[in-house]
Amino acid sequence: MTSQDPASAAPTAPGTTADTDSSDTAAASADPAQPDPVLLEAIERYYDAVPRGSARVEDFGPLSLFVAEGTGWPYYARPALGHRGPAVTADDVRRVRARQRELGLPEAFEWVAEHDPLLRAAVEEAGLTVHEHPLLVLGPQDGHPDEPLDGRLDEPGDAAGPDGVSVRVLAADDPALAEALAVPHLAFGEPGTGVGSAGPAELAVRAEALRADGSAERLAGRITAGRTALAAAFGDGTALCAGQHNPVGEVTEVAGVGTLPSARRRGLALAVTAALVAHARAGGARTVFLSAADEDVARIYRRAGFRSFATALIAEPGAEPGTEPGTEPGTEPDAG
């Protein structure tokens, strides 16, 4: 929900995975059981830690406002980690919104419903719209994905994917970095579960734009620093699906998985997700989680071994007619 980087993610609700290439969306859904409090707290610490590498924190009592320093996604407000004082009120939310407007930031709040159940009523009373996203997890007690890829995926290299597609975790100097980065931008710009229109021609244009604005270079820096890993599926030399994970200690979030609209419904999201999970596990991650865009997308990731865990919530002003939450042109979620 919070871990996307401006150099590695597409315009969508921060941290959500909205891949729509599933060839099977009929699998039964499952409601989250009561979340394990230890695992829930580990994810909460992750959400608090991720932005701090590139943002300052402003204290609003029960809420923390993350303010990006330099270029990138301008972040959001969320519950203050470890707050033990009075519960958040609508007035607290209004004070944060006023500060966000003063700074020219989006009036956005993010949290996990099961960890902070009282916040929803406060943000809705303050006039914001709340969007729900299934949060799924592979915890320390869970196995590897049900549909693993062959080959080593803990370092850059190729592995066989669906229909002869190759999947690899990209190095910082991979010549396909900008193209892989561009795929989720196109995917989130054309939501849905069906095959879409954007293809290689549109991909080439978007990749060049991401080179020109420095996004690809910033992503390369994050890969070099070990703060992001980017995996992509390639067919006929073209990036068809891509996603990332962003580790903090033993926890990481899979985010921004998206398939080129013209290449959907081939199972590519599962292949990329499996590569990211394998890379994360090999790097020492004990907990891997993600926030799906909706229940249809969540079903895809359950096939990859994730289990329902909680509900990620994003609050923002109501969208203008004809727009999707978090997909306004030019927004680029960041990961600190």
PDB file of all heavy atoms in Angstrom, residues 151-177:
ATOM      1  N   GLY A 151      14.570 -22.336 -11.940  1.00  0.00           N
ATOM      2  CA  GLY A 151      15.776 -21.518 -12.061  1.00  0.00           C
ATOM      3  C   GLY A 151      15.992 -20.640 -10.858  1.00  0.00           C
ATOM      4  O   GLY A 151      15.129 -20.458 -10.009  1.00  0.00           O
ATOM      5  N   ARG A 152      17.190 -20.063 -10.764  1.00  0.00           N
ATOM      6  CA  ARG A 152      17.538 -19.180  -9.661  1.00  0.00           C
ATOM      7  C   ARG A 152      16.957 -17.805  -9.917  1.00  0.00           C
ATOM      8  O   ARG A 152      17.145 -17.212 -10.964  1.00  0.00           O
ATOM      9  CB  ARG A 152      19.065 -19.078  -9.505  1.00  0.00           C
ATOM     10  CG  ARG A 152      19.687 -20.319  -8.901  1.00  0.00           C
ATOM     11  CD  ARG A 152      21.175 -20.104  -8.710  1.00  0.00           C
ATOM     12  NE  ARG A 152      21.444 -18.976  -7.814  1.00  0.00           N
ATOM     13  CZ  ARG A 152      21.438 -19.083  -6.493  1.00  0.00           C
ATOM     14  NH1 ARG A 152      21.149 -20.224  -5.911  1.00  0.00           N
ATOM     15  NH2 ARG A 152      21.698 -18.029  -5.744  1.00  0.00           N
ATOM     16  N   LEU A 153      16.272 -17.281  -8.909  1.00  0.00           N
ATOM     17  CA  LEU A 153      15.678 -15.965  -9.046  1.00  0.00           C
ATOM     18  C   LEU A 153      16.132 -15.047  -7.931  1.00  0.00           C
ATOM     19  O   LEU A 153      15.556 -14.006  -7.711  1.00  0.00           O
ATOM     20  CB  LEU A 153      14.151 -16.074  -9.049  1.00  0.00           C
ATOM     21  CG  LEU A 153      13.586 -16.709 -10.315  1.00  0.00           C
ATOM     22  CD1 LEU A 153      12.134 -17.064 -10.110  1.00  0.00           C
ATOM     23  CD2 LEU A 153      13.757 -15.816 -11.515  1.00  0.00           C
ATOM     24  N   ASP A 154      17.186 -15.432  -7.228  1.00  0.00           N
ATOM     25  CA  ASP A 154      17.709 -14.580  -6.176  1.00  0.00           C
ATOM     26  C   ASP A 154      18.789 -13.658  -6.707  1.00  0.00           C
ATOM     27  O   ASP A 154      19.422 -12.924  -5.965  1.00  0.00           O
ATOM     28  CB  ASP A 154      18.263 -15.422  -5.015  1.00  0.00           C
ATOM     29  CG  ASP A 154      19.317 -16.418  -5.464  1.00  0.00           C
ATOM     30  OD1 ASP A 154      19.215 -16.910  -6.610  1.00  0.00           O
ATOM     31  OD2 ASP A 154      20.231 -16.696  -4.684  1.00  0.00           O
ATOM     32  N   GLU A 155      19.031 -13.692  -7.997  1.00  0.00           N
ATOM     33  CA  GLU A 155      19.959 -12.776  -8.640  1.00  0.00           C
ATOM     34  C   GLU A 155      19.504 -12.592 -10.073  1.00  0.00           C
ATOM     35  O   GLU A 155      18.720 -13.399 -10.578  1.00  0.00           O
ATOM     36  CB  GLU A 155      21.382 -13.333  -8.602  1.00  0.00           C
ATOM     37  CG  GLU A 155      21.539 -14.669  -9.280  1.00  0.00           C
ATOM     38  CD  GLU A 155      22.919 -15.261  -9.081  1.00  0.00           C
ATOM     39  OE1 GLU A 155      23.523 -15.041  -8.029  1.00  0.00           O
ATOM     40  OE2 GLU A 155      23.390 -15.929 -10.003  1.00  0.00           O
ATOM     41  N   PRO A 156      19.960 -11.518 -10.761  1.00  0.00           N
ATOM     42  CA  PRO A 156      19.488 -11.312 -12.125  1.00  0.00           C
ATOM     43  C   PRO A 156      19.762 -12.522 -12.996  1.00  0.00           C
ATOM     44  O   PRO A 156      20.827 -13.124 -12.957  1.00  0.00           O
ATOM     45  CB  PRO A 156      20.295 -10.088 -12.584  1.00  0.00           C
ATOM     46  CG  PRO A 156      20.606  -9.367 -11.314  1.00  0.00           C
ATOM     47  CD  PRO A 156      20.838 -10.440 -10.294  1.00  0.00           C
ATOM     48  N   GLY A 157      18.788 -12.892 -13.795  1.00  0.00           N
ATOM     49  CA  GLY A 157      18.939 -14.044 -14.664  1.00  0.00           C
ATOM     50  C   GLY A 157      17.592 -14.436 -15.216  1.00  0.00           C
ATOM     51  O   GLY A 157      16.547 -13.988 -14.744  1.00  0.00           O
ATOM     52  N   ASP A 158      17.590 -15.300 -16.226  1.00  0.00           N
ATOM     53  CA  ASP A 158      16.358 -15.690 -16.884  1.00  0.00           C
ATOM     54  C   ASP A 158      15.825 -16.994 -16.311  1.00  0.00           C
ATOM     55  O   ASP A 158      16.567 -17.862 -15.863  1.00  0.00           O
ATOM     56  CB  ASP A 158      16.582 -15.869 -18.389  1.00  0.00           C
ATOM     57  CG  ASP A 158      16.821 -14.550 -19.105  1.00  0.00           C
ATOM     58  OD1 ASP A 158      16.533 -13.507 -18.491  1.00  0.00           O
ATOM     59  OD2 ASP A 158      17.286 -14.570 -20.250  1.00  0.00           O
ATOM     60  N   ALA A 159      14.503 -17.136 -16.320  1.00  0.00           N
ATOM     61  CA  ALA A 159      13.841 -18.383 -15.980  1.00  0.00           C
ATOM     62  C   ALA A 159      12.663 -18.539 -16.917  1.00  0.00           C
ATOM     63  O   ALA A 159      12.151 -17.571 -17.468  1.00  0.00           O
ATOM     64  CB  ALA A 159      13.368 -18.375 -14.526  1.00  0.00           C
ATOM     65  N   ALA A 160      12.251 -19.797 -17.113  1.00  0.00           N
ATOM     66  CA  ALA A 160      11.145 -20.048 -18.021  1.00  0.00           C
ATOM     67  C   ALA A 160       9.843 -19.602 -17.392  1.00  0.00           C
ATOM     68  O   ALA A 160       9.582 -19.857 -16.225  1.00  0.00           O
ATOM     69  CB  ALA A 160      11.085 -21.524 -18.365  1.00  0.00           C
ATOM     70  N   GLY A 161       9.012 -18.923 -18.167  1.00  0.00           N
ATOM     71  CA  GLY A 161       7.701 -18.490 -17.709  1.00  0.00           C
ATOM     72  C   GLY A 161       6.622 -19.100 -18.575  1.00  0.00           C
ATOM     73  O   GLY A 161       6.884 -19.992 -19.382  1.00  0.00           O
ATOM     74  N   PRO A 162       5.384 -18.629 -18.469  1.00  0.00           N
ATOM     75  CA  PRO A 162       4.293 -19.180 -19.265  1.00  0.00           C
ATOM     76  C   PRO A 162       4.534 -19.003 -20.755  1.00  0.00           C
ATOM     77  O   PRO A 162       5.039 -17.964 -21.206  1.00  0.00           O
ATOM     78  CB  PRO A 162       3.082 -18.344 -18.809  1.00  0.00           C
ATOM     79  CG  PRO A 162       3.470 -17.769 -17.490  1.00  0.00           C
ATOM     80  CD  PRO A 162       4.952 -17.574 -17.555  1.00  0.00           C
ATOM     81  N   ASP A 163       4.182 -20.034 -21.533  1.00  0.00           N
ATOM     82  CA  ASP A 163       4.250 -19.948 -22.997  1.00  0.00           C
ATOM     83  C   ASP A 163       5.623 -19.536 -23.497  1.00  0.00           C
ATOM     84  O   ASP A 163       5.751 -18.811 -24.483  1.00  0.00           O
ATOM     85  CB  ASP A 163       3.207 -18.954 -23.531  1.00  0.00           C
ATOM     86  CG  ASP A 163       1.794 -19.348 -23.144  1.00  0.00           C
ATOM     87  OD1 ASP A 163       1.509 -20.559 -23.085  1.00  0.00           O
ATOM     88  OD2 ASP A 163       0.977 -18.446 -22.895  1.00  0.00           O
ATOM     89  N   GLY A 164       6.681 -19.989 -22.825  1.00  0.00           N
ATOM     90  CA  GLY A 164       8.017 -19.669 -23.280  1.00  0.00           C
ATOM     91  C   GLY A 164       8.481 -18.271 -22.955  1.00  0.00           C
ATOM     92  O   GLY A 164       9.570 -17.864 -23.356  1.00  0.00           O
ATOM     93  N   VAL A 165       7.672 -17.513 -22.236  1.00  0.00           N
ATOM     94  CA  VAL A 165       8.087 -16.182 -21.796  1.00  0.00           C
ATOM     95  C   VAL A 165       9.198 -16.327 -20.768  1.00  0.00           C
ATOM     96  O   VAL A 165       9.176 -17.233 -19.936  1.00  0.00           O
ATOM     97  CB  VAL A 165       6.880 -15.428 -21.194  1.00  0.00           C
ATOM     98  CG1 VAL A 165       7.311 -14.146 -20.513  1.00  0.00           C
ATOM     99  CG2 VAL A 165       5.857 -15.137 -22.275  1.00  0.00           C
ATOM    100  N   SER A 166      10.200 -15.465 -20.824  1.00  0.00           N
ATOM    101  CA  SER A 166      11.269 -15.495 -19.830  1.00  0.00           C
ATOM    102  C   SER A 166      10.995 -14.463 -18.746  1.00  0.00           C
ATOM    103  O   SER A 166      10.435 -13.399 -19.012  1.00  0.00           O
ATOM    104  CB  SER A 166      12.626 -15.219 -20.479  1.00  0.00           C
ATOM    105  OG  SER A 166      12.688 -13.899 -20.988  1.00  0.00           O
ATOM    106  N   VAL A 167      11.357 -14.794 -17.523  1.00  0.00           N
ATOM    107  CA  VAL A 167      11.152 -13.920 -16.375  1.00  0.00           C
ATOM    108  C   VAL A 167      12.488 -13.721 -15.690  1.00  0.00           C
ATOM    109  O   VAL A 167      13.228 -14.691 -15.474  1.00  0.00           O
ATOM    110  CB  VAL A 167      10.152 -14.530 -15.376  1.00  0.00           C
ATOM    111  CG1 VAL A 167       9.907 -13.591 -14.202  1.00  0.00           C
ATOM    112  CG2 VAL A 167       8.836 -14.866 -16.070  1.00  0.00           C
ATOM    113  N   ARG A 168      12.802 -12.479 -15.353  1.00  0.00           N
ATOM    114  CA  ARG A 168      14.055 -12.239 -14.647  1.00  0.00           C
ATOM    115  C   ARG A 168      13.913 -11.074 -13.688  1.00  0.00           C
ATOM    116  O   ARG A 168      13.056 -10.209 -13.859  1.00  0.00           O
ATOM    117  CB  ARG A 168      15.210 -11.987 -15.619  1.00  0.00           C
ATOM    118  CG  ARG A 168      15.148 -10.694 -16.431  1.00  0.00           C
ATOM    119  CD  ARG A 168      16.437 -10.532 -17.255  1.00  0.00           C
ATOM    120  NE  ARG A 168      16.513  -9.286 -17.987  1.00  0.00           N
ATOM    121  CZ  ARG A 168      16.163  -9.119 -19.258  1.00  0.00           C
ATOM    122  NH1 ARG A 168      15.678 -10.156 -19.933  1.00  0.00           N
ATOM    123  NH2 ARG A 168      16.284  -7.941 -19.847  1.00  0.00           N
ATOM    124  N   VAL A 169      14.776 -11.091 -12.666  1.00  0.00           N
ATOM    125  CA  VAL A 169      14.949  -9.957 -11.770  1.00  0.00           C
ATOM    126  C   VAL A 169      16.033  -9.087 -12.376  1.00  0.00           C
ATOM    127  O   VAL A 169      17.140  -9.557 -12.665  1.00  0.00           O
ATOM    128  CB  VAL A 169      15.322 -10.421 -10.349  1.00  0.00           C
ATOM    129  CG1 VAL A 169      15.557  -9.226  -9.440  1.00  0.00           C
ATOM    130  CG2 VAL A 169      14.223 -11.308  -9.782  1.00  0.00           C
ATOM    131  N   LEU A 170      15.741  -7.825 -12.600  1.00  0.00           N
ATOM    132  CA  LEU A 170      16.623  -6.956 -13.373  1.00  0.00           C
ATOM    133  C   LEU A 170      17.710  -6.337 -12.505  1.00  0.00           C
ATOM    134  O   LEU A 170      17.440  -5.900 -11.375  1.00  0.00           O
ATOM    135  CB  LEU A 170      15.820  -5.835 -14.050  1.00  0.00           C
ATOM    136  CG  LEU A 170      15.094  -6.203 -15.350  1.00  0.00           C
ATOM    137  CD1 LEU A 170      13.963  -7.192 -15.102  1.00  0.00           C
ATOM    138  CD2 LEU A 170      14.546  -4.947 -16.025  1.00  0.00           C
ATOM    139  N   ALA A 171      18.909  -6.276 -13.049  1.00  0.00           N
ATOM    140  CA  ALA A 171      19.997  -5.543 -12.417  1.00  0.00           C
ATOM    141  C   ALA A 171      19.846  -4.057 -12.709  1.00  0.00           C
ATOM    142  O   ALA A 171      19.107  -3.645 -13.606  1.00  0.00           O
ATOM    143  CB  ALA A 171      21.343  -6.047 -12.942  1.00  0.00           C
ATOM    144  N   ALA A 172      20.572  -3.237 -11.959  1.00  0.00           N
ATOM    145  CA  ALA A 172      20.465  -1.785 -12.120  1.00  0.00           C
ATOM    146  C   ALA A 172      20.862  -1.325 -13.514  1.00  0.00           C
ATOM    147  O   ALA A 172      20.363  -0.304 -13.995  1.00  0.00           O
ATOM    148  CB  ALA A 172      21.310  -1.085 -11.066  1.00  0.00           C
ATOM    149  N   ASP A 173      21.762  -2.048 -14.163  1.00  0.00           N
ATOM    150  CA  ASP A 173      22.234  -1.644 -15.486  1.00  0.00           C
ATOM    151  C   ASP A 173      21.577  -2.429 -16.618  1.00  0.00           C
ATOM    152  O   ASP A 173      22.036  -2.398 -17.755  1.00  0.00           O
ATOM    153  CB  ASP A 173      23.754  -1.781 -15.575  1.00  0.00           C
ATOM    154  CG  ASP A 173      24.236  -3.216 -15.355  1.00  0.00           C
ATOM    155  OD1 ASP A 173      23.400  -4.080 -14.986  1.00  0.00           O
ATOM    156  OD2 ASP A 173      25.438  -3.473 -15.536  1.00  0.00           O
ATOM    157  N   ASP A 174      20.489  -3.096 -16.331  1.00  0.00           N
ATOM    158  CA  ASP A 174      19.791  -3.862 -17.367  1.00  0.00           C
ATOM    159  C   ASP A 174      19.259  -2.897 -18.422  1.00  0.00           C
ATOM    160  O   ASP A 174      18.567  -1.930 -18.091  1.00  0.00           O
ATOM    161  CB  ASP A 174      18.636  -4.653 -16.748  1.00  0.00           C
ATOM    162  CG  ASP A 174      18.092  -5.725 -17.674  1.00  0.00           C
ATOM    163  OD1 ASP A 174      17.701  -5.381 -18.810  1.00  0.00           O
ATOM    164  OD2 ASP A 174      18.066  -6.885 -17.267  1.00  0.00           O
ATOM    165  N   PRO A 175      19.542  -3.133 -19.698  1.00  0.00           N
ATOM    166  CA  PRO A 175      19.061  -2.213 -20.739  1.00  0.00           C
ATOM    167  C   PRO A 175      17.546  -2.167 -20.865  1.00  0.00           C
ATOM    168  O   PRO A 175      16.997  -1.223 -21.436  1.00  0.00           O
ATOM    169  CB  PRO A 175      19.697  -2.758 -22.024  1.00  0.00           C
ATOM    170  CG  PRO A 175      20.098  -4.165 -21.700  1.00  0.00           C
ATOM    171  CD  PRO A 175      20.407  -4.186 -20.247  1.00  0.00           C
ATOM    172  N   ALA A 176      16.853  -3.146 -20.302  1.00  0.00           N
ATOM    173  CA  ALA A 176      15.389  -3.164 -20.385  1.00  0.00           C
ATOM    174  C   ALA A 176      14.732  -2.521 -19.169  1.00  0.00           C
ATOM    175  O   ALA A 176      13.502  -2.593 -19.027  1.00  0.00           O
ATOM    176  CB  ALA A 176      14.896  -4.604 -20.523  1.00  0.00           C
ATOM    177  N   LEU A 177      15.518  -1.872 -18.323  1.00  0.00           N
ATOM    178  CA  LEU A 177      14.972  -1.343 -17.074  1.00  0.00           C
ATOM    179  C   LEU A 177      13.830  -0.352 -17.318  1.00  0.00           C
ATOM    180  O   LEU A 177      12.761  -0.447 -16.708  1.00  0.00           O
ATOM    181  CB  LEU A 177      16.082  -0.677 -16.264  1.00  0.00           C
ATOM    182  CG  LEU A 177      15.740  -0.333 -14.821  1.00  0.00           C
ATOM    183  CD1 LEU A 177      15.611  -1.594 -13.979  1.00  0.00           C
ATOM    184  CD2 LEU A 177      16.810   0.583 -14.218  1.00  0.00           C
TER     185      LEU A 177
END
